[in-house]
Structures are given as C-alpha cells and as structure tokens.
Amino acid sequence: FLFKRRILKYSALTVLLTLIQVACGQLEDVIIDRYFIPTHCSREVQVGDYVRYQYNGTFKDGRKFDSSLDKDFPFVGQVGVESKVIPGLDKGVQGMCVNERRKITIPPHLAYGVLGAVIPPDATLVFDVLLLDLWNKEDKVQIRILHKQQNCKRTVMPSDFVRYHYNGSLLVGNLFDSSNLRNSTYDTYVGQGSLIKGMDEGLLGMCVGERRSIIIPPFLAYDDKGYGTKVPPYATLIFDVLLVDVFNVKDDVKVEVQKIPQPCRRRTVVGDFIRYHYNGSFQDGTVFDSSYSRNSTYNTFIGMGYVIAGIDKALQGVCVGEWRRVTVPPHLAYGENGSGELIPGSAVLIFDLHIIDFHNPKDQVDIKVIYKPAECNLISAANDLIMYRYNCSLLDGTRLYSSDDYPEPPRVTLGQGKLIAGLDEGLQGMCVLERREITVPPHLAHGTNGASGVPSNAVLLFELELLQLQKGVPEGFLFIWLQDSPEPLFPAMDMNQDQEVPLEEFSAFIKLQVAEGRGRLHPGIDSDVILGDMFKKQDRNADGKITEDELNINVNEDNEVPKHEEL
C-alpha cells in the first residue's frame, strides 16, 4: 500500500483540526498545478470514489523518496473515506480526470508534520500524479449506443448465442485486446457465466449491426485479479462492440414469404427436383455467395439431404416464381465449424430465394387445352405430317424460342424422333386450329445437359397451335392401303388391259386410290418421287414396265405388300 511503511496514523481529530485551520487561512493549503488536462473529461474524482493512479513523490529540492513506478504497481484506494494516505494527497486528487497529470505540493501539516516518519519532520512534499482509473461502488454498467439499425427485429436475450467484434481498452485509452486484429469474432453464450458480468449485461438488448460502447467498472470486470499482463487489477474496461450475429439454440428456420405468384397451381414436396436462384448473406448484410454471380441456378432434390437442413426444410411448399427470405440458425446450417474460409463457425445465414421451376422425376407431360374447334374430323397421331406454331419459355416466363422467329412455321412428322419426347407427345391428339399449353419436365425435354439457350434440368412451357395436318404412313412405308386392295390387284392396275403397266399407268392407278380415299402416300415427300421409287421396286427386270409375274413375285416375298408398300 502507498505509504503503509512510511506514514504515522493521524487521529481523526488531528486531521479534522488541521483541515479547519487550513480552511480558516491559519495554515498553508495544498498547491495544485494541473499541468495536463485531457480534452475530454466525463467525470471528476469525488469523495467516496475509488482511484488508481501512478505517482512520484519528491522533496522540494527534487530528491525522490517514493514512486509507484518503482513498485511496478499503481496506488489503489478510496478518496476521503478512512483514507490510508496523507490528507494533502487525499485532497489533492479530488477533482481529477482520468489521464490528467497534477503536481501536488503538500505542506508539512497535511503530510507527516513535525513528527515525520521515514520522511524528515516538517518536510514539504511534492507528488506528480497521473490518474489511471476512477470508479465508485455505486457505479453501473454504462451503455452508449453509437449506431443502431432502424429495422431491428430481434435483440439479445439471456441464453442467446452471439458473435461480435470488439475493441477493449482501459480508461486511459490503452488497447488491451481486439477481435478485429485477429480478424475473428468472439463467439459465446450470454448470461451463462462465460463472460465477465458487465459484458453479460452490456450485450443485452443489442441488435445485429448495432455498435455500443460498454463501460464496465472493475468489480463487474476482473476486479482485484486483473487479467494476464494487459488488464491490471482494479481496471475499468471500455468495450466498443459490434454485434455480428445472434441466435438461440431453440431457433427454427424462419421463412418470410415475400411474393407468391397467382395462381399457384402446385407446391413442392419431398422428392421434387428444384431449380432456384439465391443470394446468401450473414445477418450484417455481408454477401457470402450468390447463384446470380455464376449466372446459373442451384439445382437439387428436396428433402433428401443434398443441401443444409434449414434450406431443405424451407424449400418445401414453394410455388414456381415465389420469393422467400429464409433465416437459418447455425445448428441447421454449417454448425460451429462453418464451411471453409467462406462461412465462419456458428454463423446465422440468410438466403433470398427465387424459385425458377421444379418437377418430380415421375412427372408426365401436362396438357392444357386452350381452344378446340367445334368440328374435329382428324386428330394428329404418330407418323402424321403437321405444321404448327409454338412459343417456348421457362416456367418463370423467360422466353427461349418461337416459331415466329422463322420465315414460316415448322413441318415435322410426329413419332419419328425429330422432336423432344414431351413436345412430340403434346402435339399428338390435336385437331387443326386447336391450341394447347403443355408443360414438359426435363426428362422428357433436354434433360440434365440442357441445349443451346436452355438450362440443364429446365421444365419447359410450350404454347402450341396446330395449323395443318396430313395423315401419315408407318415408318418405312411410302404408301398404305386404307381399305382392302383390289383382288386380283394386277388387272385393276392394268387399266388398258395390255398385260403390262408402265410408270405412267402405275402412277395414275396409285393417284386414283389416294383420290378416292382407298390409299395414302407418305406425306412430306413429292408424290412423283414416291411413285418412281415404288415403281422401281416392282419392275424387277428394270425394263420400264411391270408384269403380272413381277407383281406376284413381290406379293409372295412379302404378304404385306398389298396393303403397305415398303421403301
């Protein structure tokens, strides 16, 4: 203790009489030289306060008789209440500010008087004092809000887990610790005894993104023990805190539905495959990942463990085109270990989701008839030649391609593998001028590989209109009989009855069958080309005419020839 070995105890009466004499001007008073006063002084020493200060004690001639610096420990004591220091020093520190420097000249009667001690009798003493700390037992934790978000949906409560950055300093301004210098947040539970009492109290009520200055008196900090070499005993601590994260172990996924398209015809269930865009951020708004930056959706199955548990849960029950904000606590995200350098441990994650499309691997083509003419004599089927108009888009409305982009609508033979399977299926069973809207799942469209301009695993939406329809023939045939062929066939084909059928006569016969509805040529191919090919097959000796024997040979080789003419 400061003068434990050097002073004689003053009786209370002696001190009182001396102070009365000083007050009446009968004795010389303490002389105070405030040679350094800090710019900011929020509090001055008063009677009853506790102080911690460094000092040098000298005689008037400059000889040193005592110094706290030599002891490597500052003086700590209460001012004016059962003080253990000489009255002049007790009086001289009153009104001081932290970081203030004073030269206090104390006359003998307010020092060791005529008796002296280790100090010579009637010695005037000079103390050079630097005030390091100041507090009172009635002090509370002081909280100064430096910045607070306007939209604060949640504040820190007891038992919450928090992540925060801080700078810790002493009252004199010396930095003793900083999470910022370590580039790592301090992560802990609140109100569970993991923190000093003052910090436990100072964090309560904070919002994510809020900055606070928390001033903690020594008895709510490290008290007389201090902490290591950087926090001395009896130190008031100042923490500048930025709250980065807060959650509770009882928290579940929080879903805020921001937009639902109308109508919503279908919602996701476990087992569906979904494509969505997202922005992933922390609670302080820092973005850690985004599908938009990659210009590619995130594609996954729902409820099968391919994504973090919180997102797996939040993706259930969504509609195509829906927007959701999902807050995922760490125990449903990446836990206390985080994920690489991207996501720190115990981080709450916020995902802004936009659902692009979804399907189930068991889905079939969905057909919605928009318009159907009253009279429908023919409907499209496999092998028919059709001309149709189409618009193709993604389920979110993104246009992919359209027949309007070309000079004329496309013609195609159905069932020949010329189209993606779902579109081929959706075009069958249509009447001329019928309009349809069909939804094609990716496994019946372009699959996992996608196509030019078409993302992988994309559900496609087609608007269709059948413009023309020519009934077709089975694959591999040029002509089929729609009714029984004439019996016998050759006499019917030999129209002038000269026992031979040249190309002109053969062509005239087949065209007659087509005109009268008894047969059908392959659509989409010039009829003269078809008839020429058919004729060459029957003209076995290539003499330019078909005889009855040549026709019979072909009939015997293939019993189907009378009804179906092969290539």
Side-chain angles (χ1 to χ4, degrees):
F1 215 83
L2 179 59
F3 299 127
K4 186 174 182 182
R5 294 173 298 173
R6 297 174 180 253
I7 66 173
L8 295 175
K9 290 281 186 176
Y10 277 73
S11 68
L13 180 59
T14 301
V15 172
L16 179 60
L17 289 173
T18 301
L19 293 176
I20 290 173
Q21 287 177 306
V22 170
C24 294
Q26 299 175 5
L27 295 174
E28 185 180 1
D29 201 355
V30 172
I31 299 173
I32 298 174
D33 177 13
R34 303 180 72 181
Y35 68 90
F36 177 78
I37 302 174
T39 304
H40 177 71
C41 181
S42 60
R43 179 175 182 177
E44 296 179 347
V45 177
Q46 298 179 8
V47 173
D49 286 343
Y50 285 82
V51 291
R52 183 166 57 88
Y53 58 80
Q54 297 281 14
Y55 69 90
N56 274 317
T58 62
F59 298 113
K60 290 185 73 173
D61 60 7
R63 288 179 296 126
K64 182 171 68 172
F65 65 84
D66 193 16
S67 174
S68 64
L69 297 173
D70 295 340
K71 304 170 186 178
D72 200 29
F73 192 85
F75 171 77
V76 177
Q78 191 175 18
V79 176
V81 181
E82 296 184 1
S83 179
K84 297 180 180 180
V85 299
I86 56 178
L89 186 55
D90 210 28
K91 183 177 181 180
V93 298
Q94 294 180 32
M96 284 191 79
C97 304
V98 172
N99 266 336
E100 181 180 341
R101 291 181 179 271
R102 285 187 178 185
K103 182 177 286 187
I104 305 171
T105 303
I106 304 175
H109 56 273
L110 292 177
Y112 294 98
V114 296
L115 298 177
V118 180
I119 304 296
D122 291 320
T124 297
L125 306 181
V126 179
F127 285 89
D128 199 328
V129 177
L130 168 62
L131 186 62
L132 302 176
D133 214 330
L134 164 64
W135 73 95
N136 193 289
K137 284 189 175 181
E138 301 300 320
D139 285 350
K140 309 289 186 184
V141 174
Q142 296 180 54
I143 297 173
R144 299 172 184 170
I145 298 175
L146 306 177
H147 172 74
K148 190 170 186 176
Q149 304 283 10
Q150 290 184 348
N151 184 18
C152 180
K153 297 181 179 179
R154 176 175 184 170
T155 60
V156 176
M157 302 288 288
S159 81
D160 280 348
F161 191 92
V162 294
R163 297 173 53 239
Y164 61 90
H165 274 299
Y166 69 91
N167 289 323
S169 60
L170 306 177
L171 275 186
V172 292
N174 296 343
L175 185 72
F176 64 82
D177 194 16
S178 174
S179 65
N180 295 289
L181 296 178
R182 295 189 295 273
N183 196 30
S184 176
T185 57
Y186 191 82
D187 307 343
T188 186
Y189 287 96
V190 176
Q192 303 290 310
S194 303
L195 296 166
I196 56 176
K197 292 180 180 179
M199 184 61 84
D200 255 342
E201 181 180 337
L203 291 170
L204 293 176
M206 284 194 78
C207 305
V208 170
E210 182 178 339
R211 289 182 180 271
R212 282 185 178 183
S213 178
I214 303 172
I215 303 174
I216 304 174
F219 54 88
L220 294 176
Y222 295 105
D223 206 20
D224 60 342
K225 297 180 178 60
Y227 188 80
T229 59
K230 295 186 176 181
V231 180
Y234 302 106
T236 299
L237 305 182
I238 300 176
F239 289 92
D240 288 322
V241 176
L242 168 62
L243 186 64
V244 174
D245 229 338
V246 58
F247 71 93
N248 196 284
V249 293
K250 297 179 181 179
D251 286 349
D252 199 353
V253 175
K254 180 181 177 182
V255 176
E256 299 175 62
V257 178
Q258 298 173 321
K259 179 182 177 181
I260 299 181
Q262 297 296 334
C264 176
R265 297 188 178 94
R266 175 178 175 180
R267 294 183 179 270
T268 53
V269 297
V270 172
D272 283 347
F273 189 90
I274 190 167
R275 297 193 313 121
Y276 61 94
H277 271 301
Y278 70 90
N279 284 321
S281 61
F282 302 119
Q283 288 200 84
D284 64 358
T286 303
V287 176
F288 63 81
D289 193 18
S290 174
S291 63
Y292 295 100
S293 65
R294 295 186 293 274
N295 196 29
S296 176
T297 57
Y298 192 84
N299 308 335
T300 188
F301 285 96
I302 297 173
M304 300 178 70
Y306 292 108
V307 293
I308 57 175
I311 291 297
D312 233 355
K313 184 174 183 179
L315 288 173
Q316 297 178 35
V318 299
C319 305
V320 170
E322 183 174 336
W323 294 79
R324 285 188 172 188
R325 168 164 283 192
V326 181
T327 303
V328 185
H331 46 278
L332 295 175
Y334 294 99
E336 61 184 16
N337 295 323
S339 179
E341 297 182 357
L342 195 65
I343 299 175
S346 302
V348 177
L349 306 182
I350 297 176
F351 291 90
D352 289 305
L353 307 179
H354 179 207
I355 309 306
I356 302 302
D357 68 29
F358 64 86
H359 71 280
N360 193 282
K362 297 179 181 179
D363 284 350
Q364 300 299 315
V365 177
D366 180 68
I367 298 175
K368 180 182 179 181
V369 177
I370 305 300
Y371 169 76
K372 193 168 187 174
E375 294 186 8
C376 181
N377 299 319
L378 293 176
I379 60 171
S380 57
N383 303 310
D384 290 349
L385 178 67
I386 64 168
M387 182 170 71
Y388 67 103
R389 179 181 172 274
Y390 68 89
N391 289 315
C392 179
S393 63
L394 302 178
L395 292 191
D396 67 351
T398 302
R399 182 181 182 275
L400 295 179
Y401 41 81
S402 170
S403 58
D404 295 339
D405 298 334
Y406 302 93
E408 61 180 36
R411 295 176 181 270
V412 69
T413 301
L414 296 175
Q416 302 290 310
K418 306 295 184 182
L419 302 171
I420 58 173
L423 178 57
D424 202 311
E425 179 181 338
L427 285 166
Q428 296 189 37
M430 292 185 74
C431 306
V432 174
L433 298 182
E434 181 178 336
R435 294 196 300 272
R436 287 181 175 183
E437 185 179 277
I438 69 169
T439 304
V440 182
H443 48 276
L444 296 175
H446 296 287
T448 57
N449 295 324
S452 177
V454 181
S456 63
N457 296 298
V459 178
L460 302 183
L461 179 66
F462 286 92
E463 296 173 335
L464 303 175
E465 182 179 10
L466 186 61
L467 303 177
Q468 293 180 7
L469 168 62
Q470 290 179 262
K471 298 302 294 182
V473 300
E475 187 175 3
F477 291 89
L478 295 176
F479 171 84
I480 60 171
W481 290 101
L482 299 178
Q483 301 175 10
D484 290 338
S485 61
E487 291 290 346
L489 180 57
F490 186 78
M493 188 181 298
D494 184 13
M495 299 173 70
N496 61 6
Q497 303 299 312
D498 62 356
Q499 302 302 309
E500 58 184 25
V501 178
L503 175 59
E504 294 77 10
E505 192 173 19
F506 177 82
S507 298
F509 172 75
I510 295 297
K511 288 180 179 179
L512 179 63
Q513 310 312 307
V514 172
E516 293 180 351
R518 292 192 291 269
R520 181 185 301 155
L521 288 170
H522 191 299
I525 303 177
D526 185 88
S527 61
D528 290 337
V529 174
I530 294 175
L531 294 170
D533 287 346
M534 293 173 64
F535 182 83
K536 287 180 182 178
K537 184 174 182 182
Q538 303 298 325
D539 184 12
R540 301 295 291 262
N541 60 8
D543 62 353
K545 56 183 180 294
I546 301 172
T547 64
E548 187 171 5
D549 291 339
E550 287 175 317
L551 186 61
N552 288 334
I553 291 173
N554 276 325
V555 171
N556 292 331
E557 288 178 352
D558 186 352
N559 291 328
E560 293 300 314
V561 169
K563 293 186 179 180
H564 303 281
E565 229 5 284
E566 290 185 310
L567 284 171

